[in-house]
Amino acid sequence: MKKTWWKEAVVYQIYPRSFFDTNGDGMGDLNGIRAKLDYLQELGVDMIWLCPVYKSPNVDNGYDVSDYQAIMDEMGTMDDFDRLLEDIHSRGMKIMMDLVLNHTSDQHPWFLESKSSKDSPKRDWYVWRDHPTNWESIFGGPAWTYDPKTRQYYFHLFSKSQVDLNWENPELRRALYDMILWWLDKGIDGFRVDAINHLKKEYTDMPNPEGLNYVPAWEKMTNVQGIQELLAELRRETFDRYDVVTVGEANSVRAHEISEWISEEEGKFNMIFHLEAHEEAWDEESAGVDVDDLRIVLDRWQRSAQGIAWNSLYLENHDRPRTVSTWGNDREHWRESATALGCMYFFMQGTPFIYQGQEIGMTNAPFDDINMYRDIETKNMYRYNRQKGVPHKDLMKTIKKISRDHARTPMQWNFGANAGFTGGKPWIPLNPNFNWLNVKAQQQDPQSVLAFYKKMLKLRKQHEALVYGSTHLAFLECPYVYAYTREYGEARYLIISHLDDDTCSWWSPVDGELLLSNYEDHADGKLKPYEARVYLLK
């Protein structure tokens, strides 16, 4: 398999609105990212991925773009972006932008022109119908909104302010390609491409035996026949012209489909983000992780990619609750479970992604009032289900587990006001545990979550086998241990993560050199709660 810079990189995802604010308006900005580049460089990351910073009304926090070639007011200016780009590159680091191609804001000039008249030259750049299908949008409610001026309905997969582009129109595609090339000419190093498996739709009604107002229509708008031809053109007209990395968000793709998506021979992206592990490994009964299911799913992806493709490795992102709160124990074994989970995923074959705050073990927020939440998906889910009669108490129980806002509370930098995030009023409440869980508290602690992440990054850079080696499951007697080996030539490594609150009997390999552990005292004969170890096998 070919060696490349992006396979050897570690990527750090930034949700700019919640990272660091330099002008006191309560929202993070581009200059805030520049101010923290020393921190990121010390952590050891190679590439920064920015969630959208394009001009936007922020109905969905930047994923509703109103101008692809301008910076949103809250984030700064294009000059600020250019300085950030220069500073990142001067440190030998790289930058990846989020790219939203499925839809635009309803305030984008393209849509304003499209809705101005049925005869508009851009009418067909979006999807208009006299009669809508019976689909439900992903954010709840109808997937079509009526426009009284032109007396037609427009389609929106997400909110009514996020209007789907018509990828069947070649002029629209050309405009998007020109925009992408503009950013690549500016010197960015890659894209994470949002909701990319939804570009093609099959606009027919869903069966509705229950007589619902709106019907979920996942199979009509996900991986529809013909999407690969569109993606092949996208790659050919843009990404292939530069030495950049591309990661497609394709939640529904499964491991057996890996070839046409990310294989080195015919893939349309270098990597994809899938949701299979998060969907299959969540144990609702124990409100934790099912290690058996997790082992099956991740091993399937490792084996499917071996020799033909490359995996993305991640625990958290801006759309997922904090893993230490869902798969770990954020109370008695907070530090141990945050580090054991990190060790579990970080050393597989693939490019590791770290989401801001994950490296210090940030947890879900204890928000018990719906008014403390800001996420449009969360608020829509609450509103539509209350209309259906679901009790408030039941809805809040679910929201406190799964809301996207858990990943979006401000980065916890220090013990000061607003955790050092802003001198103003934060756009979303902080997690109150910042008074003990923050960067400053961990920077001088050699046993902190932050210190462990630094050690993991350093270890991966020192051992080529931990990048390019093949991955093989190792079955120990402990049912809650996720263990695997990495093998590359004569080099062999054993990675062990005990993902449980109890202890487990286990003896270290006699020919193993311990390279990393999240416990100071790792006496032989047992694994402690959430103990993680990395061995070099001799």
Side-chain angles (χ1 to χ4, degrees):
M1 177 171 284
K2 183 171 66 175
K3 296 182 179 180
T4 65
W5 63 265
W6 49 265
K7 292 177 181 176
E8 298 168 13
V10 175
V11 185
Y12 187 92
Q13 183 189 356
I14 290 179
Y15 198 71
R17 177 176 296 265
S18 297
F19 193 60
F20 186 57
D21 172 28
T22 59
N23 63 6
D25 66 356
M27 298 182 189
D29 45 52
L30 294 176
N31 286 328
I33 299 169
R34 288 181 66 209
K36 295 298 184 181
L37 289 179
D38 283 347
Y39 168 77
L40 297 174
Q41 193 166 31
E42 183 182 347
L43 178 59
V45 300
D46 306 285
M47 190 173 198
I48 295 168
W49 157 24
L50 295 187
C51 284
V53 294
Y54 314 103
K55 190 172 181 62
S56 169
N58 284 308
V59 172
D60 189 20
N61 288 356
Y63 284 92
D64 49 319
V65 179
S66 59
D67 188 340
Y68 286 107
Q69 291 170 239
I71 301 297
M72 72 171 73
D73 295 340
E74 297 94 324
M75 294 296 154
T77 66
M78 189 60 74
D79 286 341
D80 293 329
F81 179 85
D82 290 340
R83 284 189 287 268
L84 174 63
L85 180 64
E86 182 180 358
D87 286 357
I88 288 173
H89 284 165
S90 70
R91 294 166 181 263
M93 301 164 71
K94 296 181 183 293
I95 184 170
M96 174 190 295
M97 299 283 285
D98 227 312
L99 184 61
V100 187
L101 297 179
N102 178 73
H103 52 267
T104 70
S105 165
D106 61 354
Q107 300 304 307
H108 196 292
W110 294 349
F111 184 68
L112 296 178
E113 184 174 337
S114 179
K115 71 181 291 191
S116 65
S117 165
K118 287 184 179 180
D119 298 323
S120 165
K122 288 188 172 60
R123 184 68 171 182
D124 196 41
W125 285 31
Y126 295 85
V127 182
W128 294 91
R129 295 287 188 274
D130 290 327
H131 304 287
T133 62
N134 62 354
W135 299 357
E136 181 179 57
S137 79
I138 289 177
F139 282 177
W144 299 84
T145 291
Y146 184 67
D147 172 47
K149 181 179 179 180
T150 58
R151 298 183 179 181
Q152 281 191 316
Y153 295 82
Y154 66 83
F155 178 72
H156 49 90
L157 188 62
F158 297 96
S159 80
K160 66 179 182 179
S161 300
Q162 295 166 283
V163 193
D164 277 48
L165 292 160
N166 179 18
W167 269 75
E168 307 300 328
N169 186 306
E171 291 183 355
L172 175 275
R173 298 200 303 272
R174 184 71 258 167
L176 290 172
Y177 300 159
D178 289 344
M179 174 272 295
I180 293 170
L181 292 171
W182 184 86
W183 279 103
L184 293 173
D185 286 341
K186 186 179 276 289
I188 69 164
D189 304 291
F191 287 108
R192 176 267 190 185
V193 193
D194 182 67
I196 198 61
N197 55 336
H198 297 303
L199 297 189
K200 186 94 172 175
K201 285 91 171 176
E202 181 190 331
Y203 294 103
T204 56
D205 280 341
M206 287 291 293
N208 190 13
E210 298 179 15
L212 302 173
N213 290 331
Y214 317 110
V215 184
W218 192 252
E219 61 266 39
K220 300 282 188 178
M221 49 182 156
T222 307
N223 299 348
V224 172
Q225 183 70 33
I227 190 173
Q228 290 299 324
E229 288 76 14
L230 291 177
L231 297 179
E233 181 185 270
L234 167 64
R235 176 175 178 172
R236 184 173 63 251
E237 294 293 322
T238 58
F239 310 139
D240 276 351
R241 302 182 184 185
Y242 297 79
D243 179 22
V244 294
V245 62
T246 57
V247 190
E249 183 197 29
N251 292 343
S252 60
V253 174
R254 295 299 182 252
H256 69 273
E257 301 168 307
I258 208 168
S259 181
E260 62 183 3
W261 283 90
I262 59 171
S263 70
E264 294 192 349
E265 290 296 322
E266 58 177 311
K268 315 311 183 296
F269 302 96
N270 300 126
M271 295 174 274
I272 58 170
F273 290 125
H274 65 87
L275 264 182
E276 192 171 5
H278 290 275
E279 292 170 345
E280 299 296 329
W282 171 252
D283 187 334
E284 293 186 21
E285 198 168 299
S286 66
V289 63
D290 186 313
V291 179
D292 286 334
D293 286 346
L294 184 67
R295 191 184 294 118
I296 291 169
V297 172
L298 294 184
D299 180 60
R300 183 162 62 233
W301 278 86
Q302 289 287 298
R303 288 186 289 105
S304 296
Q306 180 62 42
I308 66 165
W310 197 254
N311 276 301
S312 67
L313 309 173
Y314 79 100
L315 285 181
E316 300 181 6
N317 61 35
H318 62 291
D319 284 335
R320 310 296 308 166
R322 294 292 185 176
T323 314
V324 69
S325 296
T326 55
W327 286 4
N329 180 333
D330 63 6
R331 299 169 304 281
E332 298 86 358
H333 297 293
W334 158 76
R335 184 193 66 83
E336 294 83 6
S337 60
T339 49
L341 285 164
C343 187
M344 180 275 297
Y345 90 102
F346 193 84
F347 292 112
M348 295 183 189
Q349 187 184 81
T351 297
F353 289 74
I354 300 170
Y355 180 69
Q356 67 180 47
Q358 177 186 328
E359 78 278 13
I360 60 170
M362 282 182 63
T363 67
N364 281 358
F367 298 162
D368 52 12
D369 184 339
I370 189 61
N371 293 317
M372 300 179 78
Y373 292 87
R374 302 289 183 265
D375 175 35
I376 184 173
E377 182 180 39
T378 299
K379 287 184 169 292
N380 280 357
M381 186 269 280
Y382 179 85
R383 181 171 67 254
Y384 288 122
N385 281 281
R386 285 294 288 140
Q387 291 172 356
K388 295 176 182 177
V390 180
H392 165 81
K393 183 179 179 181
D394 294 345
L395 286 173
M396 290 309 301
K397 184 178 180 181
T398 299
I399 287 169
K400 289 178 73 172
K401 286 183 181 179
I402 68 170
S403 174
R404 301 191 300 179
D405 275 343
H406 290 303
R408 301 175 181 186
T409 57
M411 182 70 178
Q412 296 168 200
W413 293 106
N414 58 42
F415 301 95
N418 298 321
F421 162 68
T422 180
K425 181 180 179 181
W427 71 277
I428 186 174
L430 282 100
N431 191 321
N433 66 10
F434 78 85
N435 60 6
W436 62 269
L437 198 170
N438 60 65
V439 170
K440 188 172 183 179
Q442 297 190 27
Q443 282 179 320
Q444 304 304 318
D445 179 2
Q447 293 301 310
S448 67
V449 179
L450 179 60
F452 189 83
Y453 266 82
K454 288 180 180 179
K455 292 173 185 175
M456 288 200 301
L457 270 77
K458 184 177 181 180
L459 194 62
R460 187 175 184 272
K461 293 180 188 299
Q462 291 174 336
H463 299 266
E464 192 176 34
L466 295 176
V467 177
Y468 291 109
S470 57
T471 307
H472 306 273
L473 277 182
F475 292 96
L476 308 185
E477 293 182 4
C478 304
Y480 301 111
V481 169
Y482 195 123
Y484 54 94
T485 60
R486 298 296 306 278
E487 301 179 13
Y488 191 66
E490 298 298 317
R492 294 180 64 238
Y493 298 78
L494 175 64
I495 293 88
I496 298 169
S497 292
H498 182 213
L499 304 179
D500 190 62
D501 293 306
D502 208 345
T503 59
C504 174
S505 297
W506 182 75
W507 291 92
S508 304
V510 294
D511 59 346
E513 176 189 350
L514 184 63
L515 301 180
L516 181 66
S517 173
N518 62 348
Y519 274 85
E520 284 187 280
D521 54 329
H522 33 76
D524 213 359
K526 68 177 180 180
L527 292 173
K528 297 178 181 179
Y530 294 99
E531 184 167 4
R533 301 184 189 182
V534 177
Y535 288 94
L536 170 62
L537 301 179
K538 299 179 179 179

